[in-house]
Amino acid sequence: MNTLTAVSYDAFEQNLLSLQGNMYNFALSLTADTTKAEDLLQDTSLKVLNNKKMYRENTNFKGWVFTVMRNLFINDYHRTVRTRDIFDANADITYLGAHSDSEGLSAPDRALSLTEINQAINDLEEEYRDPFSMYLAGYKYKEIAQTMDLPIGTVKSRIYFARKKLQESLHEYR
């Protein structure tokens, strides 16, 4: 029995090695950068090797490996978006949130502070706030549905209602 296991692991690794060229091309199409593509290829190979127990026989091996690569790329993208430094300390924020006078009101009357927006979001009921916050963070509807274990239609409607509630609570700034 141990010989069969060793043979199947060797076949697994051979299959993975034979896909390296295809994997690199796919990684390059995802990242559009040779260095990042090489990193993604290495991360995917390591992840696949560490999780070979998760692979089920008679499953499309290439499809499984490419799904692992795509998921790693997406997760890294979301991590980058969440941790990106959005505020540049050297930026000129004098006119941030100000609208032109051509709209009939002076700029200070129309400025909306980030604190007020965040407070309005925090005031939402949890069932609306959580999917809306995830959506703002860059998650797709399907990812939110999977994370929250909800049907995708429910996620879409909660985000829609969150927007409506925010429009109502921030109506004086329209």
Side-chain angles (χ1 to χ4, degrees):
M1 187 166 193
N2 288 339
T3 350
L4 289 174
T5 306
V7 170
S8 66
Y9 281 141
D10 288 340
F12 184 91
E13 291 167 1
Q14 287 299 326
N15 285 340
L16 183 60
L17 286 174
S18 70
L19 288 176
Q20 295 294 298
N22 293 338
M23 290 169 61
Y24 176 75
N25 290 336
F26 183 57
L28 193 56
S29 74
L30 291 171
T31 62
D33 180 291
T34 55
T35 305
K36 290 179 181 177
E38 290 168 359
D39 289 343
L40 182 58
L41 173 65
Q42 183 177 4
D43 291 344
T44 302
S45 297
L46 184 62
K47 182 98 170 177
V48 166
L49 288 171
N50 286 338
N51 292 291
K52 58 184 153 190
K53 291 179 247 168
M54 302 297 285
Y55 176 72
R56 301 289 177 241
E57 291 294 326
N58 300 323
T59 302
N60 180 352
F61 183 74
K62 184 177 179 181
W64 181 70
V65 171
F66 278 52
T67 300
V68 170
M69 180 177 281
R70 182 180 50 82
N71 290 343
L72 281 172
F73 174 76
I74 290 170
N75 290 342
D76 185 55
Y77 172 78
H78 287 304
R79 188 177 314 107
T80 301
V81 168
R82 282 192 299 268
T83 59
R84 184 180 301 149
D85 183 15
I86 296 172
F87 182 74
D88 180 5
N90 298 322
D92 180 13
I93 60 169
T94 307
Y95 300 106
L96 185 65
H99 295 274
S100 69
D101 288 336
S102 64
E103 295 179 22
L105 295 173
S106 63
D109 293 339
R110 293 293 305 244
L112 178 61
S113 81
L114 197 52
T115 306
E116 291 171 307
I117 295 172
N118 285 331
Q119 186 58 48
I121 292 171
N122 288 333
D123 288 344
L124 290 171
E125 298 164 22
E126 184 178 349
E127 68 178 324
Y128 300 114
R129 182 182 58 241
D130 291 347
F132 184 77
S133 297
M134 290 178 74
Y135 183 76
L136 285 180
Y139 287 92
K140 303 291 183 219
Y141 290 125
K142 185 176 180 181
E143 295 168 324
I144 297 168
Q146 290 172 343
T147 302
M148 298 187 73
D149 195 28
L150 293 170
I152 195 164
T154 302
V155 169
K156 288 179 179 182
S157 66
R158 288 184 182 179
I159 292 171
Y160 171 80
F161 286 120
R163 286 181 182 146
K164 287 293 186 192
K165 289 174 185 269
L166 287 171
Q167 285 175 352
E168 290 169 12
S169 65
L170 299 170
H171 72 279
E172 66 268 11
Y173 298 103
R174 281 202 260 162

